[in-house]
């Protein structure tokens, strides 16, 4: 008799991601070995030429030392799971522990202590113990300080990812698995819609993101109840973070009030529809970003300045992406650059009436001068 359907679903999702990680790891390893082999051949040819004969032999054709062996294949890749102790991440940890034993993968775990609740250090220690009981190694708890910039949720997220990045670098991890589910994706899409930030916000979370695709989200096609059921049937203890039901947090209100209201009005398929919207929006946004990257050089003069007439001729969605790229390259922080900023800059192209420079985050200003759009730090 096979595993419970919920357990089978989470294991299959993780197995697919681990196969991707292994394939990418093999490609990188093969590339590195090929590079080393080329360098080795070049070294051999150099040593065989008379002008590079070994010092002390006094003649050509002296016996050369044995060729150094090619570097051994590196150890199998390490995959870490980011685990808070909640149902989603505990289910993810259990699936990683199970699948890693069958593949050439080492599995470890990281839990981040945000220090936002009393006893958080104790709970972090409990999570570490549970991960070790699953035979994950290495396992560690990392304590962070959460600032206030961008609000409590954004600040906690920034601190968490900074800690995970540092842990991945410290341990040389090939990937870090995150337990975001289809429900989390639906919430992210709705939050993006509420901000009015455009199609990129509607694309939600990517299955792979971060430096070199470090962060992987195997559960984006699975609902939250599947992960919770998998924990239940495996008798995995889980911790329900009280912040997840605290109405002081926007995502919590959306989860417990907004989405249920939408489902009551529109039916139970809302979460799945929002997740599909995320994927469709991501495909469209990726295509537009590629178009904008190609258009960027075509709208500049020989000095590299943006020409307003050429910008005006672009489709609005492509033009705004070119403007955003230029603002970020000039020093505007991407996370602080919102749609309203780009709309103001766009009006220098489409609604020019002699207006003054537009001030952007990061002390960047955009100004129209002599038919050129100048974006630079002030």
């Amino acid at each position: 008799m096979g595993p419970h359907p919920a357990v089978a679903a989470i294991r299959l999702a993780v197995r697919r991601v681990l196969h991707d990680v292994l394939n990418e790891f093999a490609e990188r390893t093969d590339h590195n070995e090929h590079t080393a082999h080329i360098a080795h051949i070049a070294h051999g040819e150099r040593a065989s030429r008379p002008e590079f004969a070994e010092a002390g032999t006094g003649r050509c054709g002296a016996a050369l030392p044995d060729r150094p062996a090619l570097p051994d294949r590196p150890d199998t890749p390490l995959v870490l799971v980011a685990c808070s102790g909640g149902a989603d991440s505990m289910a993810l940890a259990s699936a990683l522990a199970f699948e890693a034993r069958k593949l050439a993968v080492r599995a470890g775990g990281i839990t981040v202590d945000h220090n936002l609740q009393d006893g958080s250090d104790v709970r972090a220690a409990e999570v570490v113990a549970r991960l070790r009981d699953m035979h994950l190694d290495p396992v560690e708890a990392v304590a962070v300080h959460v600032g206030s910039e961008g609000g409590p949720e954004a600040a906690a997220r920034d601190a968490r990812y900074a800690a995970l990045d540092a842990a991945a670098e410290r341990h040389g991890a090939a990937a870090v698995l995150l337990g975001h589910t289809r429900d989390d994706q639906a919430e992210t899409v709705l939050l993006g819609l509420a901000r009015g930030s455009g199609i990129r916000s509607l694309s939600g979370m990517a299955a792979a993101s971060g430096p070199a695709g470090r962060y992987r989200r195997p559960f984006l096609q699975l609902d939250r109840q599947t992960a919770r059921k998998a924990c239940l049937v495996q008798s995995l203890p889980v911790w329900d973070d009280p912040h997840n039901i605290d109405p002081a947090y926007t995502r919590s209100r959306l989860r417990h009030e907004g989405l249920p209201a939408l489902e009551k009005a529109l039916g139970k398929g809302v979460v799945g529809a929002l997740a599909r919207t995320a994927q469709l929006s991501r495909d469209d946004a990726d295509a537009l970003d590629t178009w904008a990257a190609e258009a960027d050089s075509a709208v500049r003069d020989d000095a590299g300045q943006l020409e307003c007439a050429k910008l005006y001729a672009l489709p609005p969605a492509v033009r705004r992406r070119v403007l955003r790229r230029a603002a970020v390259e000039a020093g505007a922080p991407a996370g602080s650059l919102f749609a309203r900023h780009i709309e103001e800059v766009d009006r220098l192209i489409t609604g020019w009436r002699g207006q003054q420079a537009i001030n952007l985050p990061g002390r960047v200003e955009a100004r129209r001068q002599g038919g050129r759009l100048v974006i630079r730090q002030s």
Side-chain angles (χ1 to χ4, degrees):
M1 182 177 178
H4 186 278
V7 176
I10 65 170
R11 289 177 178 174
L12 176 60
V14 168
R15 188 184 315 145
R16 287 171 172 164
V17 169
L18 293 184
H19 278 297
D20 290 342
V21 171
L22 280 168
N23 288 337
E24 293 163 14
F25 180 79
E27 289 175 2
R28 288 195 300 270
T29 302
D30 289 344
H31 173 75
N32 291 340
E33 288 186 350
H34 177 70
T35 302
H37 183 61
I38 295 298
H40 172 75
I41 292 173
H43 173 77
E45 290 177 347
R46 182 176 184 273
S48 66
R49 289 163 57 188
E51 62 268 36
F52 294 118
E54 279 195 311
T57 60
R59 58 186 176 86
C60 300
L64 294 174
D66 292 337
R67 289 184 176 182
L70 289 176
D72 291 335
R73 179 177 287 272
D75 289 340
T76 53
L78 170 65
V79 176
L80 299 175
V81 58
C83 186
S84 67
D88 301 341
S89 59
M90 284 298 293
L92 183 59
S94 71
L96 173 62
F98 180 85
E99 293 296 332
R101 289 195 292 269
K102 303 190 298 179
L103 299 170
V105 173
R106 292 177 294 131
I110 302 293
T111 187
V112 178
D113 175 9
H114 296 83
N115 284 304
L116 294 177
Q117 303 171 40
D118 291 339
S120 63
D121 56 335
V122 174
R123 282 187 290 274
E126 291 172 350
V127 173
V128 166
R130 291 170 190 167
L131 296 179
R132 286 178 176 156
D133 286 344
M134 295 178 185
H135 305 292
L136 299 184
D137 182 46
V139 171
E140 67 173 325
V142 180
V144 298
H145 170 73
V146 177
S148 57
E149 186 175 353
E153 292 168 285
R157 182 176 60 251
D158 290 345
R160 179 168 60 255
Y161 276 101
L164 292 175
D165 277 334
E169 295 291 340
R170 186 165 58 252
H171 294 289
V176 178
L177 305 189
L178 305 176
H180 297 121
T181 64
R182 188 173 63 186
D183 301 78
D184 296 307
Q185 185 75 298
E187 293 162 9
T188 302
V189 172
L190 283 177
L191 289 170
L193 182 63
R195 286 193 296 266
S197 301
I199 195 171
R200 180 56 74 183
S201 288
L202 298 184
S203 65
M205 296 174 285
S209 64
R214 167 179 293 160
Y215 294 108
R216 308 297 174 105
R217 298 176 175 87
F219 290 175
L220 284 183
Q221 302 302 318
L222 301 179
D223 60 36
R224 191 173 288 138
Q225 285 305 312
T226 297
R228 185 168 288 275
K229 185 66 174 178
C231 289
L232 179 64
V233 299
Q234 294 179 102
S235 299
L236 295 174
V238 300
W239 173 63
D240 290 315
D241 187 347
H243 283 174
N244 289 337
I245 58 172
D246 188 342
Y249 296 97
T250 304
R251 188 177 284 269
S252 175
R253 294 195 301 273
L254 179 61
R255 179 174 301 176
H256 298 288
E257 300 173 23
L259 265 175
L262 281 175
E263 289 184 334
K264 183 178 180 180
L266 302 176
K268 289 292 185 181
V270 169
V271 168
L274 288 169
R276 287 193 298 275
T277 296
Q279 185 56 59
L280 293 171
S281 297
R282 181 168 297 280
D283 291 343
D284 290 349
D286 288 346
L288 287 168
D289 286 346
T290 300
W291 188 353
E294 294 171 350
D296 186 86
S297 59
V299 296
R300 295 179 182 271
D301 61 18
D302 293 340
Q305 296 292 323
L306 292 166
E307 297 188 61
C308 295
K310 291 180 179 178
L311 284 167
Y312 185 86
L314 291 175
V318 178
R319 181 175 60 245
R320 287 192 290 267
R321 280 168 167 77
V322 172
L323 297 178
R324 179 180 174 83
R325 283 168 55 92
V328 171
E329 289 173 359
S336 302
L337 200 59
F338 302 133
R340 58 184 173 82
H341 294 126
I342 303 304
E343 288 169 1
E344 288 295 319
V345 177
D346 195 40
R347 274 193 278 273
L348 295 176
I349 307 299
T350 62
W352 174 243
R353 299 181 307 278
Q355 56 263 50
Q356 297 297 311
I358 305 300
N359 293 319
L360 302 173
R363 296 183 298 104
V364 172
E365 70 172 23
R367 181 188 302 272
R368 180 165 175 157
Q369 293 178 339
R372 303 292 188 269
L373 185 68
V374 180
I375 302 178
R376 63 189 177 196
Q377 281 190 319
S378 58

